[in-house]
Amino acid sequence: MSTASAPETFDSWVGHDVTDVVKGELKFEPVPVKPWDEDDIDVKVTHCGLCGSDFSMLAGHFFPLLPQQVCGHEIVGEVTRIGSQVKDVKVGDRVGIGAQCDGCLECEWCVKGEEQFCPQMTFTLGAPYPRGNAKGTFSHGGFAKYWRGPARFAIPIPASLDSAEAAPLLCAGATVYSPLKYYGAGPGKNIGVVGIGGLGHVAVMLAKAMGASVTVLSRGEAKRDEAKQLGADDYIPTTKDAAADVKGRERSLDFIICTINPESLPASDYMTMLKPRGTFVLLGIVPKPLELSTMGMVVGVSGIAGSQIGSPAELKELMEFAAKHKIRPWVQKCSMDNINQAMADYQAGKPKYRIVLVNTDNGGTL
Ligand SMILES: [Zn+2]
Ligand SMILES: [Zn+2]
């Protein structure tokens, strides 16, 4: 495939400064496309989920904004072009791209298939490519008509998975699947899930499908019924008095996955629920430093850990698992043409639980 035949721009929804995200003013315009490498594919984007990290990126919380910032990292679409070195993907395949779109491919982590730990791990939503013709240029996400990047990070979507429901698995799903697997969710394990939103609702479904018992902690009674619908075995309505909320539940959980990022997280109180050697797993980046009581951790021999996205291999495994166990994230579909309204709805906390943007002119259905 020659570079001469490759398009030079992809029409995309672009953030230009940090106020764009607040005002909901992404602009639809052509964006120069990644220089072609022979391990690349082009994907006609049909769907793209809307994730909290897109907002953090567009708000400049992670890095300064690029001149043309294109976010979106729960991308599903059809492969329209492949490079000469691409082996496992063919034109016409339905694939997904999550939060990582490249790595150095040479370090110990890339070599052993844990590319998410590569020191040059490339975020899909606007980070420098570390290699090839694109070295030093920045990645663009899926708020666009087309996406280009290395085939290694494109995940096959099993035929039985709906594209809109597969999209949230690519970031939200991967972010909870990875720690559920690592900490051994399965029969006989009691797991806590803090927060029912884009990540938490998938965590409950996955943990149940793995055979674990699940206790949900969520503010007030608002989500009790929904937690039950998702399969949760128990529900703790949380208040401002976290110590009282969890009283009588001491040493009941093997590990806790915390999907929320409030201003101040009562981690020490929640950690009293951990069995000895249990782990409190943080997925959200808390703005302020955490205050932790070491007494509970030492006596309970419990720990606190972070977790992030999974590897491409884990994502493939998750897709197969989701197909086998009929995991269906709760999605609300919205035309990508209305992305600015969708972003306002997201910020108002309206989605239950994931907004998926759809390019109908590329074959996506609302
Ligand atoms: Zn995400
Ligand atoms: Zn690497």
Side-chain angles (χ1 to χ4, degrees), residues 50-54 73-74 98-99 125 170-172 175 199 309 354:
L50 197 49
C51 172
S53 300
D54 296 316
H73 57 283
E74 292 180 340
L125 50 172
L170 291 158
C171 178
T175 304
L199 273 67
I309 60 164
R354 206 60 154 179

Side-chain angles (χ1 to χ4, degrees), residues 50 58 87 103 114 120 156 216-217 219 221 227 264 290 339 347 353:
L50 197 49
L58 285 163
K87 300 277 188 294
E114 292 187 303
Q120 298 185 78
V216 165
L217 294 93
R219 201 179 325 127
E221 293 289 348
S264 60
L290 277 181
I339 187 170
Q347 289 178 299
Y353 284 109

